Every structure is written in C-alpha cells, then in structure tokens.
Amino acid sequence: MVDTVRALIAFELPPDVARVAGDLQARLKTHGLKLRWVRPQNIHLTLRFLGEIPREQTAAVAEAMQAAARDGLPAQLSVQGMGVFPGMRKPRVVWIGLGGQTERLIRLAACLDERLALLGMAKEERPFKAHLTIARVQAGSDVRGLPGAIETEAGFAPLPFSASEMVFFQSDLRPQGPVYTPLARAALVG
C-alpha cells in the first residue's frame, strides 16, 4: 500500500484578513444559515489542491513549487465581495472574493500546473478563480436565505494584503476540521 499525503499549495492570510473573514462568518450566521463553516484560522488562498499524493513525491512537489515561485511575482490583493460556487441555484461553496492583481495569481497557478504536470499530475481542468472559502453547503441544506444574506453582508470595505509566499501544506482531516502542516515554503521573487 502506498503511503499518501493529502496536500495543497496555498497562501496563508495575514491575521487582519482572517479576522475580517471570521467577522463575515459571524454576520452570516445571524441570518440563520446552517452551513459547514471553515475555521477562520484555516481560511487560506488555495492555488492548487493536490488531493492524495504519494508521500515520496512531496520533495518533488516542493521543488516544483519553488521553481514556479522563481517565475512568479508577489500580488497585491484585496478581499472584496462575496459569492457562491457553482451558483445560487445549487450552492456548494460560500466565498469571499479577491480583487487587485489577480492576473498574477492566474499566471502563477498556470505555471505551477505546468510544473506539476511534469511530475505526472493531471492538470487542473477548471479555470483558476481567486477566492477564500468561508463555508460549505451540505446536501439538503435550506439555502433560501443565502442570497439575501450575501447581498446584505457583501458590501464590506475592501481590505488590502499581499500574497508573496506559497506554502505546500499537508492537510490532515480531523472531526473538528482539517489541520494544516506546512511542508515547504517558496517566496515569489519574479
């Protein structure tokens, strides 16, 4: 049996951005929404979810991330707005939007995808959309109040931050939520 690691590559959020996300979650909860909330300290900007990968491949993934970072530029971003994936008819994910230099993240995600493909990993089929997942909708949940709640709470003031260091995380699923352990870091130097 192959020893695997559940992994992803993401940007950690500054404490003030995590605090804004937690405040938004608290305000959304006042609308009576029964969602599976992401703990504020676990909210991050995912660049690429890798899923289960062989543990022996982690060093090669870290190297691919560092190579992509050498070509990437730090991105000045801001949290702004809210929405859902895939749409309001059948929402599965509630997110906070990102503005600013998101095109840099799109290029970085594509570069990372190319480098991971050289390791035999399938390329991401969906286009990259910069967002912060704050909640997941469980099957059968009553989401009738979700559009109104988002409309009411989405008008918060944009908060700027910089995305300048990718982190390769191991994600261990636990009953209280995932625990993320950094395996490697790579600063964007361009």
Side-chain angles (χ1 to χ4, degrees):
M1 181 176 207
V2 177
D3 185 21
T4 63
V5 172
R6 186 173 189 264
L8 64 136
I9 295 173
F11 292 96
E12 294 176 307
L13 299 179
D16 58 340
V17 174
R19 198 169 23 262
V20 164
D23 291 347
L24 279 170
Q25 288 175 321
R27 292 201 309 267
L28 285 170
K29 288 176 186 177
T30 67
H31 293 267
L33 299 171
K34 305 288 187 220
L35 304 174
R36 204 171 75 225
W37 301 97
V38 177
R39 291 185 299 179
Q41 67 270 25
N42 277 355
I43 297 172
H44 52 264
L45 169 51
T46 301
L47 204 55
R48 174 75 191 266
F49 178 72
L50 302 171
E52 297 288 332
I53 63 170
R55 186 174 299 276
E56 66 189 27
Q57 200 172 31
T58 56
V61 169
E63 171 104 15
M65 178 184 72
Q66 289 161 349
R70 287 191 290 274
D71 295 334
L73 294 168
Q76 298 306 312
L77 305 170
S78 64
V79 291
Q80 56 188 58
M82 298 173 66
V84 298
F85 289 138
M88 277 299 178
R89 285 162 107 34
K90 291 189 178 185
R92 289 197 313 257
V93 170
V94 180
W95 49 259
I96 297 173
L98 295 172
Q101 297 174 321
T102 56
E103 72 284 348
R104 289 185 178 186
L105 296 180
I106 293 167
R107 285 195 298 273
L108 181 61
C111 179
L112 183 60
D113 213 33
E114 293 292 328
R115 295 194 180 273
L116 293 171
L118 296 173
L119 302 178
M121 294 185 178
K123 288 189 175 185
E124 182 59 60
E125 294 177 12
R126 297 171 294 189
F128 178 77
K129 293 184 181 172
H131 68 282
L132 307 176
T133 298
I134 60 170
R136 290 184 173 77
V137 180
Q138 294 171 304
S141 294
D142 179 5
V143 293
R144 287 176 292 187
L146 186 57
I150 288 176
E151 186 176 329
T152 299
E153 304 301 342
F156 60 91
L159 177 65
F161 71 101
S162 179
S164 58
E165 182 183 63
M166 290 187 286
V167 184
F168 176 27
F169 285 107
Q170 176 175 327
S171 171
D172 294 307
L173 298 179
R174 307 252 170 98
Q176 68 276 17
V179 174
Y180 298 107
T181 305
L183 299 176
R185 295 178 180 274
L188 301 178
V189 294

